[in-house]
Amino acid sequence: LLANWGNFLLDSSRTVRGVVDWEFAGAGAAFHFELASLVYVLTRDGPPADLIEHDVESVLVGYGMTQAEYRQHYQQDVETIVLLHCVSALTKCDQLMRSGGLEREPWRKLFAERALRVCHRSFRD
């Protein structure tokens, strides 16, 4: 749910005012996995870092969590899972290139290029 902001109704200050498309809702993965999926999709799709930070902060507020609690208990897991998502995107692109299937899913190359940038940024920091 977090990885698709299209399911959230936001006001002009980006405060969540409602949620739509609940038909597939259910018990899901642990918080840090869900948050990592959101961070990966946002990072992959390219909004500015300050917007990503704002969105993550909104999620933390929604869970009643402080930045200090997040950094202490979840941040390392979230960053690791984001890198795993990146590796998955790179692997999928490589498999499609080797099999000749990249023409059917050309967006995979763009996702892989963005994932590679995330990896470079993560390891440089």
Side-chain angles (χ1 to χ4, degrees), residues 44-100:
R44 180 198 70 198
D45 292 349
D50 60 334
L51 182 57
I52 294 171
E53 288 176 24
H54 179 271
D55 289 347
V56 169
E57 179 64 28
S58 296
V59 170
L60 297 179
V61 168
Y63 274 89
M65 186 181 304
T66 66
Q67 281 284 347
E69 291 171 316
Y70 169 71
R71 282 190 298 278
Q72 180 181 1
H73 299 291
Y74 295 101
Q75 186 172 6
Q76 185 174 0
D77 289 342
V78 168
E79 291 172 357
T80 300
I81 295 167
V82 167
L83 289 174
L84 290 172
H85 281 303
C86 290
V87 169
S88 177
L90 292 166
T91 301
K92 181 66 175 177
C93 182
D94 183 63
Q95 289 170 342
L96 287 170
M97 284 184 354
R98 290 174 189 270
S99 69

Side-chain angles (χ1 to χ4, degrees), residues 11 17 21 29 31 41-42 45-46 49 56 58-59 63 65 80 90 96 100 105 108 110-111 119 122-123 125:
D11 65 18
R17 296 297 179 189
D21 292 339
F31 164 76
V41 168
L42 291 174
D45 292 349
V56 169
S58 296
V59 170
Y63 274 89
M65 186 181 304
T80 300
L90 292 166
L96 287 170
E105 300 181 47
R108 298 284 186 182
L110 177 63
F111 286 0
C119 290
S122 296
F123 288 112
D125 294 343

